[in-house]
């Protein structure tokens, strides 16, 4: 059976990296084979695309930016995501197609339906089984003002539009896209995530869940 594909999304400074790390640790403790990865930058070429995308000095038009993210995604799907899922692994990925809808769509104002079609070319139709959106007001985002990257420098209104975009994505697909209140302590946020992921695994891997319950 194909493995499970979990993505972690949210505005910049919402704690994605910390929570992805805690989730990966928990899944490994439960005995699952896990691949931890991210977009942009989950492949060798992707790491270079990430540098280009995030360097504040680079002037990049919204259209060029979109295709750079999609190039990174196409490589990532082919080199990392599909092979890991084919081996039955659980993939925990920081950001994926929903970031394109939230940032390039709601943030930059590009047409969301068109972005869905273009992103489907990059993914070949692969979609997450579960997407956790770390939700917090942009004013509370933990950003280092002295070291903002190109996207983080877009300002408060841009981040507001992105945050609203994530809310709309969660409303449109409530089964797949779950909002997680990211305002609490790291452990409290982690507990919410574990509850949702446990649910997913019990649906997808019923035998593993039974074994854990000792039946
Ligand atoms: P991060 O990995 O530190 O979150 O930085 C990645 C940045 O790239 C973040 O500001 C969100 C942005 N991004 C997009 O605008 N579109 C995308 O499709 C992806 C994957 C990320």
């Amino acid at each position: 059976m194909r493995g499970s594909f979990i993505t972690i999304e949210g505005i910049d400074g919402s704690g994605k990296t910390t929570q992805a790390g805690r989730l990966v640790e928990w899944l490994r403790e439960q005995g699952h084979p896990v691949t931890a990865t991210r977009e942009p930058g989950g492949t060798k070429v992707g790491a270079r695309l990430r540098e280009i995308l995030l360097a504040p000095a680079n002037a990049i038009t919204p259209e060029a930016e979109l295709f750079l993210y999609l190039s990174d995604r196409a490589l990532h799907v082919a080199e990392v995501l599909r092979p890991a899922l084919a081996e039955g692994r659980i993939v925990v990925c920081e950001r994926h197609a929903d970031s394109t809808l939230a940032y390039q769509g709601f943030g930059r104002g590009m047409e969301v339906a068109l972005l869905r079609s273009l992103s489907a070319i990059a993914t070949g139709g692969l979609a997450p089984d579960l997407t956790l959106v770390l939700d917090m007001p942009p004013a509370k985002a933990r950003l280092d003002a002295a070291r903002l990257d190109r996207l983080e420098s877009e300002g408060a209104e841009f981040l507001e539009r992105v945050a609203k975009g994530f809310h709309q994505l969660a409303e449109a697909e409530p089964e797949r896209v779950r909002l997680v209140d990211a305002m609490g302590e790291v452990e409290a946020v982690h507990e919410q995530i574990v509850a949702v992921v446990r649910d997913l695994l019990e649906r997808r891997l019923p035998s593993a869940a039974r074994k854990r319950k000792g039946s």
Side-chain angles (χ1 to χ4, degrees):
M1 180 184 167
R2 165 188 173 289
S4 298
F5 182 22
I6 300 172
T7 58
I8 305 205
E9 299 275 7
I11 58 170
D12 302 87
S14 58
K16 286 182 308 303
T17 303
T18 304
Q19 290 302 331
R22 290 290 287 110
L23 175 60
V24 167
E25 205 178 299
W26 179 80
L27 286 165
R28 289 190 174 138
E29 280 166 17
Q30 307 294 306
H32 296 290
V34 183
T35 294
T37 186
R38 69 171 176 182
E39 291 183 14
T43 63
K44 201 161 169 228
V45 171
R48 300 182 67 182
L49 293 175
R50 181 181 174 92
E51 282 173 25
I52 294 169
L53 277 160
L54 298 188
N58 289 342
I60 301 175
T61 64
E63 293 76 15
E65 176 183 280
L66 167 68
F67 286 108
L68 287 168
Y69 281 116
L70 295 182
S71 298
D72 169 77
R73 182 157 312 134
L75 286 167
H76 193 222
V77 167
E79 287 181 24
V80 178
L81 301 181
R82 283 197 191 279
L85 292 168
E87 282 179 21
R89 300 175 71 81
I90 298 180
V91 174
V92 175
C93 183
E94 281 178 62
R95 298 197 185 281
H96 184 68
D98 294 295
S99 274
T100 303
L101 303 180
Y103 281 80
Q104 280 64 54
F106 293 92
R108 299 265 189 239
M110 300 175 92
E111 191 191 324
V112 171
L114 180 58
L115 293 178
R116 282 190 196 277
S117 302
L118 292 173
S119 192
I121 298 177
T123 61
L126 178 71
D129 300 299
L130 174 66
T131 295
L132 300 154
V133 174
L134 300 191
D135 186 34
M136 65 162 54
K140 301 282 181 195
R142 293 175 278 253
L143 293 176
D144 180 353
R147 297 181 49 205
L148 296 181
D149 67 33
R150 198 177 58 83
L151 275 285
E152 289 166 351
S153 310
E154 284 294 328
E157 283 176 21
F158 179 77
L159 220 51
E160 284 286 351
R161 291 197 296 277
V162 172
K164 281 200 187 119
F166 278 124
H167 285 179
Q168 291 199 26
L169 294 172
E171 272 167 34
E173 276 185 83
E175 271 297 302
R176 175 181 69 85
V177 184
R178 303 296 183 84
L179 290 182
V180 172
D181 176 6
M183 285 300 292
E185 295 295 318
V186 169
E187 276 314 301
V189 179
H190 174 61
E191 286 307 318
Q192 292 180 65
I193 289 178
V194 163
V196 181
V197 170
R198 217 192 274 277
D199 243 32
L200 170 81
L201 297 181
E202 286 181 7
R203 269 184 282 127
R204 287 186 58 85
L205 307 167
S207 59
R210 267 200 307 280
K211 221 181 324 168
R212 275 202 306 281
K213 281 178 186 159
S215 58

